[in-house]
Amino acid sequence: MAPSVRDIQLTPAGKTSLAAAADDSGDLEDVRLLDSYDKDDVEAAATTSTKRIQVRVTGMTCAACSNSVESALMSVDGVVSASVALLQNRADVVFNPSLVKDEDIKNAVEDAGFEAEVLPEPQQSATGTKPCGATLVGQFTITGMTCAACVNSVEGILKDLSGVKKAVVALATSLGEVEYDPNVISKDEIVRAIEDAGFEASFVQSNEQDKVVLGVVGVYSLGDAQVLEGMLSGMKGVRQFRFNIVSNELDVVFDPEVIRPRSLVDGIQLGSKGKFRLNVRNPYARMASTDGAESSAMFRLFTSSLFLSVPLFFMGVVCPHIPFIYSLLLRRCGPFLMGDWLKWALVSVIQFVIGRRFYIAAGRALRNGSTNMDVLVALGTTASYVYSVCALLYGAVTGFWSPTYFETSAMLITFVLLGKYLECLAKGKTSDAIKKLVELAPATALLIVKDKGGKLIEEREIDSLLIEPGDTLKVLPGTKIPADGIVKWGSSYVNESMVTGESVPVLKELNASVIGGTINSHGVLHIQATKVGSDTVLSQIISLVETAQMSKAPIQKFADYVASIFVPTVVALSLLTFLCWYTAGALEAYPKEWLPENGNHFVFALMFSISVVVIACPCALGLATPTAVMVATGVGANNGVLIKGGDALERAQMVKYVIFDKTGTLTQGKATVTTVKVFTGMERGEFLTLVASAEASSEHPLGKAILQYARHFHFFDESSTINGTLNDAKELNSGWLHDVSDFSALPGRGVQCFIDGKRILVGNRKLLSENGIDISTEVENFVVELEESAKTGILVAYDDVLTGVLGVADPLKREASVVIDGLHKMGVIPVMVTGDNWRTAQAVAKELGIEDVRAEVMPAGKADVVRSFQKDGSTVAMVGDGINDSPALAAADVGMAIGAGTDIAIEAADYVLMRDNLEDVITAIDLSRKTFSRIRLNYVFAMAYNVIAIPVAAGVFFPSLGIQLPPWVAGACMALSSVSVVCSSLLLRRYRKPRLTAILEIVVE
């Protein structure tokens, strides 16, 4: 095919367009969804007996209408939840299909007095390669949004598209995330839908794994492009490509089972003998360039407007004091003065060329049935401009010349553009956290190439985005580790503070795991890459922070509601202001000295009316929450505290109870055997061998501690500190342990098995009692003594005879008692829950200062403990390791997985604490409290600004104090209000987590 100058798109010969489209769909990667941290959605999805539908509701005009629809839906028997979006005219209903039908839902809405239509579910393509229900999550840059009303409009447009399942739009980042079925709708159709609504949009990235975007250097002509096309068409596994000769970007769709991105790049570079050089385009870098382009465009508009406004200011203020120039301006040219012609020409350019964006945005908003700040700016400036033109024409016809206000329109647009430019800069600062995380990943890596025998062939530098699992990489001292992997050669200390928040460098030796983006401090390391691309820890952190910043805190619903009624209210107030002042003037209720020179009552009232329109600002309300949430999630990530959304942030600041799991959370999780006592004639060594043989197949930490102790007893081997790996297990089974049969682990009790045909039981009292084994007074007293000293007593019975007892201790974390005391000072009640016995639990709790203890709780029962504290409406946080505590973490209002390290994708947790340090629990709660204090301050400021500014602009204080705001001053105030709210949120970047010495000084606010 003949390629165009701008774009080249290839469909290899032999494929129909349908097949090519099917190939383009790729495979779905299992990554985060837009609502993955919405607990209601998770619970609804988990309930297989429920169905979700969306209903279009027509006729709603206000919040009272939406509330009545919600009430009508919730009154239907079988409806689990109902949420009504007023601006989108949409109801989202989850119900039990065995009790209620779609038609019943529709009838319930119609009975409430509204029209309803059940929206059809997207149809799956029969010929698509995606499985039924498979979706992609695409990220889009959306520019042109100015307030929460714009966000609501875009979300409504996206959710109306067939094939789009979910859509979330963030004003602060100008990003939208859309979950869509690629068999029903393409990303290009989504972009067109956004652009048809009047916004600018571009696709950034998706979770599709068979597509790569490459930057190409060396294509300077159409002939070069054709050479590139020929090379790609001959590559096996390349399905489709598109080359943009203007941006030099190459989009390649490929079969990952046939060819990998590095092979693709190498093939092109080698095939062109070095003429073409390719590099993978980082999607986050492309987003940053888009942000920079938006602020640059806004700066150009502002400087252009300022350049044209200065002559207007000069003519009005300076020229009257320069007789020669002033006489030229007063010279008549046709029906008007020369000065009037100049003002009209300059202002017309500002109004309709530079200010065109306000008309486009206002028209878009009105077309979608919403209003925003652009409507106010367009109304105010147009009123000023039209009046001034009419005044000139009236003067030319009648000879009565009224004052014109061209400079009002020009200065208004100039100051609003200045505010928007400053707002772009400030909003860019709120996303610094993600930019810093992206910068952690090195641009290149040293690849070690070996032959089949393992002999080194060469070392070559490659793009770090082209690293593949299994690659051996060389990491020099002082450089960043390019990918997650395992050390295969060398040893060094690695600084992981930028990822985990742990300040102390960590020793990395053979088989130790390393994290991409961390810094190798000393020695040379050879690592084998295990996770690359979106699977790396760093990528997951970035993804998690992005998801959190995209989410909406419940408090933001207030701003969304106010935004929906704000502009109509302001326009009504503006009209009321005009009518009041004009009527008062007509009735001569105020002296004529108040009027401007050569002015009249109409002009006097109009200036007050315009000031009301332009000083009101809904943007400050819309930015109050998302900007603060963005900064807070970024600050949290920098401190090793990953927050999964604004809703989690909001709940955490209301926490009343913090429930701690004991083992591994309050304690170090490194149990050691401290006491062994045999109550029969069996030798100590044989007793330990029996117990170790029984525990060898157990995964419980106490079992591993017993195994380690027994090995050390027999072999005096200090290296017996094991990590529970497969290799360790093989070593421990090498000859000295007995053969075991019929092994079974009994949760909450212990283990049982058979050795030489005789049963052996290792566990607590409950295990022995259930099996009819008596516990003598001597043994009971010994176990009680252990438990009162905060140790766990493990009883052992062999051949149905109680043989001995082991005492196991798990030392407390050094910071545990201080953190517990700090929580008390913050007004939070700490609770400890454990499966251990009461005496041990109470001894540990006494040492820590915890008054409320729940002991002998089975793993499944921890969730019930959480729910018991929630009965009175209290907000409960659960702190655990995210493994056996998952049910409790999910049941809690705020789940905190501590010590997650590289395992940050713990679905049950709302907060992921990277370090194994309890201080981060304090940090999480403290950060959430400070964030919502800032959000409340933002709302108070935004509301107070409008409450105070609108009466001043309306002239309420003019009769008594003589205060009058010219429209251009009102415009400047409006422009700076949203900037001040964003800057207020940016102050959160100065947050410093409380130190241990300061924790005890925290008081309840």
Side-chain angles (χ1 to χ4, degrees):
M1 84 184 169
S4 68
V5 175
R6 177 178 177 85
D7 295 312
I8 301 172
Q9 185 169 2
L10 173 71
T11 302
K15 290 187 179 181
T16 64
S17 59
L18 182 62
D23 284 341
D24 194 16
S25 62
D27 297 321
L28 178 69
E29 182 194 7
D30 186 16
V31 295
R32 61 183 172 84
L33 295 178
L34 301 178
D35 64 343
S36 57
Y37 305 116
D38 187 332
K39 290 194 172 185
D40 291 335
D41 285 351
V42 171
E43 290 170 2
T47 308
T48 56
S49 60
T50 60
K51 179 182 177 182
R52 167 169 280 159
I53 63 169
Q54 289 190 334
V55 182
R56 180 180 284 116
V57 183
T58 307
M60 297 188 298
T61 58
C62 62
C65 298
S66 60
N67 290 337
S68 64
V69 173
E70 277 191 12
S71 300
L73 289 171
M74 291 303 296
S75 64
V76 177
D77 186 29
V79 171
V80 178
S81 66
S83 175
V84 179
L86 175 65
L87 293 180
Q88 286 83 10
N89 292 318
R90 185 78 57 88
D92 188 82
V93 188
V94 178
F95 60 94
N96 188 337
S98 63
L99 298 177
V100 63
K101 304 301 179 187
D102 294 10
E103 193 66 24
D104 298 329
I105 301 292
K106 179 175 180 290
N107 293 336
V109 177
E110 292 176 343
D111 290 344
F114 302 90
E115 296 180 14
E117 175 192 357
V118 178
L119 298 176
E121 296 182 6
Q123 297 296 315
Q124 302 296 332
S125 172
T127 59
T129 57
K130 295 278 181 185
C132 182
T135 59
L136 291 178
V137 177
Q139 194 173 71
F140 299 81
T141 300
I142 304 170
T143 56
M145 298 185 297
T146 57
C147 63
C150 298
V151 172
N152 291 335
S153 297
V154 175
E155 284 187 350
I157 291 163
L158 290 172
K159 290 174 181 176
D160 280 335
L161 297 176
S162 177
V164 172
K165 296 196 172 183
K166 295 179 182 65
V168 173
V169 177
L171 174 63
T173 57
S174 297
L175 286 177
E177 279 195 358
V178 184
E179 184 187 354
Y180 64 99
D181 186 342
N183 294 318
V184 179
I185 188 171
S186 69
K187 68 180 189 302
D188 294 328
E189 289 173 320
I190 294 174
V191 169
R192 281 196 295 271
I194 297 172
E195 290 177 342
D196 288 344
F199 300 91
E200 295 181 5
S202 62
F203 178 73
V204 178
Q205 64 176 345
S206 76
N207 57 344
E208 199 172 3
Q209 283 297 292
D210 59 354
K211 185 174 181 178
V212 65
V213 180
L214 303 168
V216 185
V217 178
V219 179
Y220 303 113
S221 66
L222 188 59
D224 291 337
Q226 289 174 334
V227 171
L228 181 62
E229 175 187 355
M231 294 175 64
L232 282 165
S233 61
M235 282 189 174
K236 187 178 180 181
V238 174
R239 295 172 176 169
Q240 225 174 358
F241 77 84
R242 182 183 182 89
F243 178 66
N244 187 322
I245 203 168
V246 176
S247 62
N248 285 327
E249 283 192 350
L250 175 66
D251 293 0
V252 182
V253 178
F254 61 95
D255 184 348
E257 299 298 321
V258 178
I259 190 170
R260 304 294 298 172
R262 191 166 77 223
S263 303
L264 179 67
V265 170
D266 290 345
I268 295 174
Q269 293 184 161
L270 292 173
S272 66
K273 297 181 180 179
K275 176 177 175 58
F276 301 141
R277 294 190 303 277
L278 285 75
N279 63 286
V280 181
R281 289 291 172 89
N282 190 320
Y284 297 104
R286 295 166 71 201
M287 286 167 52
S289 65
T290 303
D291 293 340
E294 183 182 0
S295 60
S296 297
M298 198 61 66
F299 180 72
R300 285 195 299 271
L301 288 174
F302 163 67
T303 52
S304 301
S305 182
L306 180 64
F307 178 76
L308 295 176
S309 298
V310 168
L312 292 170
F313 176 80
F314 188 78
M315 283 189 286
V317 178
V318 179
C319 288
H321 302 287
I322 306 175
F324 173 71
I325 297 177
Y326 194 52
S327 64
L328 291 177
L329 295 176
L330 294 177
R331 180 176 297 178
R332 185 169 295 279
C333 182
F336 308 125
L337 302 179
M338 182 64 72
D340 292 331
W341 281 111
L342 286 174
K343 287 181 180 179
W344 173 79
L346 290 171
V347 173
S348 294
V349 174
I350 296 174
Q351 183 77 32
F352 300 110
V353 178
I354 298 173
R356 180 179 59 179
R357 66 179 302 277
F358 297 112
Y359 286 102
I360 293 173
R364 172 185 65 224
L366 294 173
R367 188 167 65 248
N368 292 327
S370 62
T371 51
N372 56 21
M373 186 202 75
D374 296 300
V375 173
L376 297 179
V377 175
L379 275 175
T381 57
T382 302
S384 176
Y385 178 85
V386 170
Y387 166 77
S388 299
V389 171
C390 291
L392 283 179
L393 295 175
Y394 183 77
V397 172
T398 64
F400 179 77
W401 298 94
S402 298
T404 59
Y405 292 91
F406 283 119
E407 65 279 359
T408 295
S409 170
M411 297 299 285
L412 264 175
I413 291 175
T414 301
F415 277 112
V416 171
L417 289 173
L418 172 62
K420 299 307 291 180
Y421 170 64
L422 295 176
E423 184 181 316
C424 282
L425 293 180
K427 287 198 294 185
K429 294 289 185 183
T430 62
S431 59
D432 276 354
I434 287 183
K435 293 175 184 174
K436 289 179 180 177
L437 287 170
V438 172
E439 290 169 358
L440 289 179
T444 60
L446 276 177
L447 176 66
I448 297 176
V449 182
K450 298 180 179 180
D451 59 17
K452 293 182 179 180
K455 185 178 179 181
L456 176 65
I457 299 176
E458 65 168 335
E459 293 179 3
R460 66 186 182 102
E461 192 174 45
I462 63 170
D463 192 319
S464 62
L465 295 175
L466 294 175
I467 297 172
E468 298 173 1
D471 283 347
T472 301
L473 308 169
K474 184 177 182 179
V475 186
L476 299 174
T479 61
K480 294 178 180 177
I481 295 173
D484 294 1
I486 297 173
V487 176
K488 289 300 181 182
W489 180 87
S491 66
S492 179
Y493 281 90
V494 174
N495 181 0
E496 297 182 343
S497 60
M498 62 288 298
V499 176
T500 65
E502 185 61 62
S503 58
V504 181
V506 182
L507 176 64
K508 300 294 182 181
E509 295 180 308
L510 187 65
N511 292 328
S513 60
V514 291
I515 305 172
T518 56
I519 298 175
N520 179 25
S521 300
H522 301 295
V524 177
L525 294 175
H526 289 184
I527 69 166
Q528 184 179 59
T530 55
K531 293 182 180 179
V532 299
S534 60
D535 293 330
T536 64
V537 171
L538 188 59
S539 294
Q540 290 184 51
I541 291 175
I542 294 171
S543 176
L544 194 150
V545 173
E546 271 193 321
T547 303
Q549 293 180 349
M550 290 290 297
S551 68
K552 291 183 179 180
I555 195 175
Q556 196 172 339
K557 293 178 181 177
F558 165 74
D560 291 342
Y561 169 69
V562 173
S564 66
I565 63 171
F566 187 88
V567 175
T569 303
V570 169
V571 172
L573 288 174
S574 174
L575 292 174
L576 181 63
T577 299
F578 175 80
L579 291 173
C580 289
W581 279 106
Y582 186 72
T583 304
L587 298 176
E588 298 184 352
Y590 57 79
K592 292 185 177 180
E593 289 77 13
W594 287 7
L595 298 177
E597 185 178 355
N598 296 328
N600 53 43
H601 300 301
F602 178 84
V603 175
F604 190 59
L606 182 64
M607 289 302 104
F608 281 119
S609 178
I610 292 174
S611 294
V612 170
V613 167
V614 298
I615 201 168
C617 183
C619 298
L621 282 169
L623 291 168
T625 299
T627 53
V629 170
M630 280 188 67
V631 176
T633 51
V635 168
N638 291 336
N639 287 281
V641 177
L642 303 182
I643 307 164
K644 292 191 176 180
D647 51 348
L649 198 64
E650 182 167 347
R651 290 193 300 269
Q653 52 101 22
M654 300 183 291
V655 165
K656 181 178 179 180
Y657 296 98
V658 175
I659 301 176
F660 292 93
D661 179 47
K662 181 179 78 71
T663 304
T665 303
L666 292 172
T667 65
Q668 295 178 13
K670 299 176 182 177
T672 55
V673 177
T674 59
T675 309
V676 176
K677 187 169 183 179
V678 182
F679 290 95
T680 63
M682 185 180 295
E683 291 184 0
R684 184 187 183 93
E686 177 59 21
F687 172 73
L688 288 174
T689 302
L690 283 171
V691 181
S693 300
E695 292 286 2
S697 301
S698 173
E699 290 297 321
H700 198 281
L702 297 185
K704 294 177 182 177
I706 294 171
L707 203 55
Q708 175 189 337
Y709 182 84
R711 178 183 173 88
H712 179 66
F713 178 85
H714 284 293
F715 303 105
F716 298 99
D717 184 0
E718 291 295 341
S719 67
S720 61
T721 303
I722 65 171
N723 296 314
T725 65
L726 185 61
N727 290 335
D728 294 324
K730 289 179 179 178
E731 289 179 17
L732 290 168
N733 283 309
S734 56
W736 65 282
L737 295 177
H738 297 302
D739 292 332
V740 172
S741 61
D742 297 334
F743 173 86
S744 60
L746 307 171
R749 294 171 178 80
V751 301
Q752 78 169 14
C753 61
F754 288 86
I755 297 177
D756 295 332
K758 298 179 180 178
R759 185 173 64 169
I760 181 169
L761 302 171
V762 183
N764 55 21
R765 294 183 184 85
K766 187 180 293 185
L767 176 64
L768 270 64
S769 299
E770 288 176 354
N771 286 276
I773 298 174
D774 294 330
I775 302 174
S776 66
T777 304
E778 179 186 7
V779 174
E780 179 65 26
N781 291 338
F782 181 76
V783 173
V784 168
E785 185 180 339
L786 288 174
E787 293 170 346
E788 289 177 345
S789 60
K791 298 176 184 177
T792 300
I794 297 176
L795 289 74
V796 180
Y798 180 59
D799 197 17
D800 293 338
V801 177
L802 201 159
T803 309
V805 175
L806 296 93
V808 180
D810 187 1
L812 294 171
K813 292 178 179 175
R814 60 180 179 81
E815 74 278 5
S817 60
V818 180
V819 169
I820 296 301
D821 199 6
L823 288 172
H824 280 299
K825 294 289 184 181
M826 294 173 73
V828 178
I829 303 172
V831 180
M832 188 180 78
V833 60
T834 178
D836 218 333
N837 61 81
W838 276 100
R839 290 191 184 88
T840 302
Q842 287 174 335
V844 172
K846 184 178 181 181
E847 186 174 347
L848 291 173
I850 297 177
E851 298 175 0
D852 199 336
V853 183
R854 307 297 168 95
E856 297 181 5
V857 179
M858 299 292 228
K862 293 178 182 178
D864 296 328
V865 172
V866 171
R867 284 188 278 268
S868 69
F869 284 98
Q870 294 172 325
K871 286 181 179 178
D872 62 353
S874 299
T875 303
V876 178
M878 173 72 195
V879 184
D881 57 19
I883 303 171
N884 59 351
D885 300 316
S886 292
L889 290 174
D893 299 293
V894 181
M896 297 185 185
I898 191 169
T902 58
D903 184 19
I904 65 168
I906 299 174
E907 294 184 5
D910 301 298
Y911 280 69
V912 178
L913 312 181
M914 299 286 286
R915 301 186 305 161
D916 193 13
N917 193 316
L918 289 169
E919 295 174 52
D920 290 343
V921 176
I922 294 277
T923 302
I925 298 175
D926 184 60
L927 176 60
S928 66
R929 289 184 175 183
K930 283 186 168 57
T931 300
F932 270 81
S933 294
R934 179 64 55 182
I935 289 173
R936 292 186 190 100
L937 183 64
N938 288 349
Y939 276 129
V940 168
F941 177 79
M943 291 297 293
Y945 165 81
N946 285 296
V947 167
I948 295 172
I950 291 176
V952 172
V956 171
F957 302 105
F958 183 74
S960 58
L961 302 176
I963 298 176
Q964 181 180 13
L965 286 181
W968 66 269
V969 174
C973 293
M974 181 269 286
L976 293 175
S977 65
S978 57
V979 177
S980 58
V981 167
V982 177
C983 291
S984 170
S985 296
L986 285 175
L987 290 176
L988 282 170
R989 296 202 303 172
R990 302 170 59 187
Y991 174 83
R992 295 293 180 269
K993 61 182 180 181
R995 297 181 180 274
L996 278 171
T997 53
I999 287 176
L1000 300 180
E1001 298 174 6
I1002 297 176
V1003 296
V1004 181
E1005 296 179 356

